[in-house]
Amino acid sequence: TEDVWTQEFKKMGLTYRPPKMVLFTDAVQSACGQATSAVGPFYCSGDETIYIDLSFFEQMEHQMKAGGDFAFAYVIAHEVGHHVQNLLGTLSDAHSQMARMSTTDANKMSVRTELQADFYAGIWAYHDNEMFGSLEPGDIEEGLNAASKIGDDYLQKQAQGYAVPETFNHGTSAQRVKWLKRGASSGNISYGDTFTPSYSNL
């Protein structure tokens, strides 16, 4: 991810500052507070660190049937996407708006932020493959399968048998697949505006 984003930032006339990464199981302390593995992988802008819970990958493989090297890489690249948003100022904008919104609207803003991170994961896949020929047949499908299994609607239906759209904060399976695919097929960072379209068009 560092090779790709260093190059992408250079194209924009900016300097990329790589995030740090912490691997954990069970629980971890971050600048954003204490987190348990129930949270799954996350990015903390306070210390510019990606926290990867290794048990989440086991869960993906065994419970979600969404394993594979590219599926795991997508999860990491999604969190790096939040770091990119942080460096570009998108994340702090979104968070300051969310602080002034109703819960439902804040959830919608969260979905926009998460879908852009999925798009950035796709951008990474495109350029990583250009640089290193890293993608094998089936890799993108593996990532899209993972994206579909971590959609809010899918997870809620698995957990309680039905979905509550106003509580979604990461996006539906279809939305997550769409934005990951858009990044991975275009490689063009300017196609990743998830904030301007109407919510129903995401």
Side-chain angles (χ1 to χ4, degrees), residues 149-168:
K149 298 278 175 70
I150 50 182
D152 287 322
D153 53 343
Y154 182 89
L155 291 174
Q156 287 188 4
K157 282 176 188 159
Q158 293 290 99
Q160 60 197 27
Y162 58 92
V164 186
E166 59 271 22
T167 64
F168 292 172

Side-chain angles (χ1 to χ4, degrees), residues 47-118:
D47 51 16
E48 297 194 353
T49 300
I50 290 160
Y51 290 87
I52 300 290
D53 167 24
L54 295 176
S55 62
F56 183 75
F57 290 144
E58 286 170 27
Q59 210 183 337
M60 280 176 71
E61 190 144 21
H62 302 299
Q63 284 170 267
M64 299 180 182
K65 303 285 180 270
D69 56 354
F70 184 78
F72 301 149
Y74 152 62
V75 169
I76 294 171
H78 169 93
E79 299 307 334
V80 173
H82 286 311
H83 179 64
V84 169
Q85 290 174 321
N86 186 36
L87 295 182
L88 295 176
T90 318
L91 202 57
S92 57
D93 279 358
H95 285 162
S96 65
Q97 287 182 55
M98 284 162 71
R100 299 191 299 273
M101 290 173 161
S102 69
T103 306
T104 304
D105 286 342
N107 281 338
K108 287 180 176 178
M109 180 60 76
S110 175
V111 167
R112 292 179 186 277
T113 309
E114 295 297 334
L115 294 178
Q116 189 177 62
D118 282 336

Side-chain angles (χ1 to χ4, degrees), residues 69-70 73 122 124-130 132-141 184:
D69 56 354
F70 184 78
W124 161 75
Y126 178 96
H127 290 289
D128 194 77
N129 191 46
E130 293 274 285
F132 306 111
S134 48
L135 291 179
E136 297 163 0
D139 272 350
I140 292 291
E141 290 72 14

Side-chain angles (χ1 to χ4, degrees), residues 144-192:
L144 296 174
N145 174 49
S148 74
K149 298 278 175 70
I150 50 182
D152 287 322
D153 53 343
Y154 182 89
L155 291 174
Q156 287 188 4
K157 282 176 188 159
Q158 293 290 99
Q160 60 197 27
Y162 58 92
V164 186
E166 59 271 22
T167 64
F168 292 172
N169 56 17
H170 276 68
T172 64
S173 296
Q175 287 171 327
R176 299 199 70 170
V177 165
K178 172 183 167 180
W179 285 96
L180 174 62
K181 199 186 270 181
R182 180 176 288 190
S185 59
S186 72
N188 187 333
I189 198 167
S190 66
Y191 294 175

